[in-house]
Amino acid sequence: MSMRTCSVVVLCVSACAGAAQGAPVFFSELGGGSILQPRNNRRIEARYRADTTNWDTRLEFDSLPEVGDVTGAVSNSKAFFENDEFGFKLNYDHALQQVTWTITGPSPAVGVLNSLTQPTDTMGQMNTLHLFTVGTRGSVTLTDVAFMGLGMDVNAFPDLNTAPAPAVTFKETYLIFGNDFNLLSGDWMLTGKIAFGTFTNNNPSEGAKITVKLRNAEIPAPTALGVFAAAALFGARRRRR
């Protein structure tokens, strides 16, 4: 048991060393027992949900919707979202220092349904992309997800497809570009397609959505990682008693 744990830690340290140099690395968790740790609580959040009574598109600086947020509504029709596919794009314009969240579709017609913009001049460093889907009230399928810009292309994103129970209803991934990397240092875009399935509720809302966040995280230095791993192992041993 101990040898297996040590091997995992060594592999993680190797991957983390690459991430610290600016090589993008995926993680399934942030904080807690994960090697990837948050630096602060700053974030830029883009959301698209199948909502039939209120806004369905949002671009803001936190996770809690409130009056005054930058939001939009492409439709209030359940039939508009159900069993259809849409394109999404989150892009950053360095010259303008602004991020834009754009929804296109539905399939097969292609047109801009909504485009929201926010300034980023006060956000400081952002080095991590956080993507998650929720499918508690209808299946959510992501395809063709890709990051392009800043001298790199990333298109091997993990499976983030979700669906109502007994299927997996929530999936997420964190893509860190490196401790010293700053996503606000040049132009880039994150693109993909989202398809909604048959809904189990007349207003799926937060139960059928995609969320994309820009965050600032870090992979501790090797010395800190050793302490972190030892503490995690000690905690595991205590729990087994």
Side-chain angles (χ1 to χ4, degrees), residues 40-149:
N40 51 53
N41 201 39
R42 290 196 307 268
R43 67 196 70 194
I44 299 172
E45 179 189 291
R47 190 183 308 186
Y48 183 50
R49 62 183 191 176
D51 192 280
T52 61
T53 63
N54 203 342
W55 58 267
D56 47 50
T57 318
R58 178 178 182 270
L59 180 63
E60 270 300 336
F61 300 121
D62 56 55
S63 299
L64 302 174
E66 55 189 45
V67 176
D69 284 352
V70 176
T71 60
V74 301
S75 177
N76 285 136
S77 167
K78 174 183 174 183
F80 180 84
F81 298 104
E82 195 171 41
N83 297 314
D84 225 328
E85 182 180 79
F86 303 84
F88 64 86
K89 178 173 71 173
L90 184 67
N91 69 282
Y92 178 67
D93 187 313
H94 181 253
L96 297 178
Q97 294 189 69
Q98 67 181 27
V99 63
T100 303
W101 179 233
T102 304
I103 303 298
T104 59
S107 176
V110 178
V112 175
L113 297 173
N114 209 318
S115 187
L116 308 177
T117 300
Q118 282 280 38
T120 61
D121 54 302
T122 63
M123 296 309 294
Q125 182 187 11
M126 294 284 176
N127 63 1
T128 302
L129 284 174
H130 176 200
L131 284 76
F132 69 83
T133 62
V134 177
T136 56
R137 293 184 171 182
S139 64
V140 174
T141 303
L142 296 190
T143 55
D144 301 334
V145 182
F147 175 92
M148 295 159 284

Side-chain angles (χ1 to χ4, degrees), residues 220-240:
T223 301
L225 273 175
V227 174
F228 181 83
L233 181 58
F234 178 72
R237 285 175 173 169
R238 285 179 61 92
R239 287 191 295 270
R240 283 198 295 266

